[in-house]
Amino acid sequence: MTLLLLVEQGLNGLQLGVMLFLMAAGLTLVFGIMDMINLAHGSFYMVGAYLTATFAPVFDSFALAVLAALPLAALVGMAVEVVALRTLYRREHLDQVLATFGLILFFNELVRIVWGPQPIFLQPPSWLAGTVEIIPGVPYPAFRLAIIAVGLAVAVFLYLLITRTRTGMLIRAGASNREMLGALGVDVKRLYTLVFGLGAALAALAGAMAGPVLAVQVGMGESVLILTFVVIVIGGLGSVRGALVGALLVGMVDTLARALLPTVLRTMMPPSQADGMGASLASMTIYILMAAVLAWKPRGLFPAHA
């Protein structure tokens, strides 16, 4: 394991981390404001990827395709909140889990009907198709660097939105005491719908950015949703800051474990056994990390409500 390869894997971990943050930020906002466990959050990730893949050849521009996909995904999210989820806010979490699991099946079948069962391979924009030599000897894909930049820009945007705007003040108030907020004349239902639409748009952005890296296919949101829940448990439920820290931790630990563990184990056993055991142990590292964090801080690193 050379220093150059370690730098490259570190960048891969950072890229995975910011992708997970885009997912986790929307999910933790929805949970923090609405106390809603939304298993269908990964479906908006899938919808964002498919909409981007649809608009890219129409506009002949990846950036314009993303800009067109995000508001549509937000509208889909708001429609789902109004039609299907609004009646679940005061229900038990088990009811929410069952209902949103049903939405996963609904969206998977709907996407299969509209776009077909075959994966779609989305190409990155031509101006980001090359590599950038960050340090001598380490060429890194420009599109992955763009993902990192977009994720960090969204983190800054959310920080400013939540801490510096009236909308952010209402979001924080709704997370603290929704009944009092409603008593002060704020339309809490509309606030819920807007927050849910924002969460759907963030998930769609993650899906759009993942499209050129992974295949756009039915059910692509389920695997990333598992990692997203690990992120928000580590970071603290309802905390955007915790979502960022948790996402970066999970991204770095997962990527470096997959790169380092097989190499380390090869010094102790035959390469074939080391590769198999290393892959198995690497897939466990994020859950070991989650258990360690919860043993230290049962409410996560930065819980919204201490």
Side-chain angles (χ1 to χ4, degrees):
M1 178 64 67
T2 65
L3 176 61
L4 298 183
L5 185 56
L6 190 61
V7 170
E8 183 179 8
Q9 294 302 322
L11 289 172
N12 285 338
L14 182 60
Q15 180 252 310
L16 175 60
V18 297
M19 288 284 293
L20 292 175
F21 167 70
L22 292 176
M23 284 288 292
L27 189 59
T28 200
L29 273 177
V30 168
F31 184 86
I33 302 299
M34 308 173 188
D35 196 26
M36 161 70 70
I37 297 178
N38 178 25
L39 294 187
H41 194 67
S43 297
F44 302 122
Y45 172 89
M46 176 179 66
V47 167
Y50 270 99
L51 288 175
T52 302
T54 301
F55 289 131
V58 174
F59 295 115
D60 195 25
S61 168
F62 179 81
L64 290 178
V66 173
L67 291 177
L70 294 188
L72 280 178
L75 288 175
V76 171
M78 289 189 284
V80 168
E81 190 273 339
V82 171
V83 173
L85 301 182
R86 185 167 286 182
T87 59
L88 297 173
Y89 292 144
R90 298 190 182 278
R91 302 285 291 273
E92 297 292 333
H93 284 162
L94 178 59
D95 296 335
Q96 298 171 1
V97 167
L98 292 174
T100 53
F101 179 76
L103 286 174
I104 292 177
L105 303 179
F106 170 80
F107 274 108
N108 283 347
E109 291 305 316
L110 180 63
V111 166
R112 188 176 284 111
I113 291 170
V114 174
W115 283 282
Q118 298 301 320
I120 300 174
F121 297 95
L122 183 60
Q123 296 298 319
S126 57
W127 50 282
L128 289 175
T131 59
V132 176
E133 198 164 292
I134 302 174
I135 60 176
V138 184
Y140 195 74
F143 185 75
R144 288 180 179 266
L145 289 176
I147 293 175
I148 295 172
V150 168
L152 296 178
V154 170
V156 173
F157 164 75
L158 289 176
Y159 170 77
L160 295 176
L161 174 69
I162 293 173
T163 63
R164 296 289 189 270
T165 67
R166 183 176 184 275
T167 301
M169 178 187 67
L170 294 178
I171 290 174
R172 297 197 310 273
S176 300
N177 193 324
R178 71 186 75 177
E179 289 79 10
M180 181 61 71
L181 187 65
L184 293 173
V186 176
D187 189 341
V188 177
K189 289 184 178 180
R190 184 174 66 176
L191 177 65
Y192 281 7
T193 303
L194 292 175
V195 170
F196 200 90
L198 174 61
L202 291 174
L205 177 58
M209 301 303 289
V213 178
L214 308 169
V216 179
Q217 57 188 336
V218 176
M220 64 185 292
E222 277 82 336
S223 58
V224 73
L225 184 66
I226 296 172
L227 290 176
T228 304
F229 274 111
V230 172
V231 165
I232 63 174
V233 169
I234 289 175
L237 297 176
S239 170
V240 175
R241 178 178 58 166
L244 177 60
V245 174
L248 294 179
L249 278 174
V250 168
M252 295 297 290
V253 168
D254 183 67
T255 302
L256 292 177
R258 294 181 188 279
L260 290 174
L261 281 177
T263 303
V264 172
L265 291 175
R266 283 181 184 180
T267 63
M268 310 176 199
M269 59 185 67
S272 59
Q273 295 181 15
D275 291 343
M277 183 175 292
S280 299
L281 291 175
S283 64
M284 297 165 55
T285 53
I286 58 171
Y287 304 106
I288 296 172
L289 172 65
M290 181 175 67
V293 169
L294 293 180
W296 174 40
K297 287 193 171 184
R299 297 178 62 86
L301 296 175
F302 302 99
H305 309 295

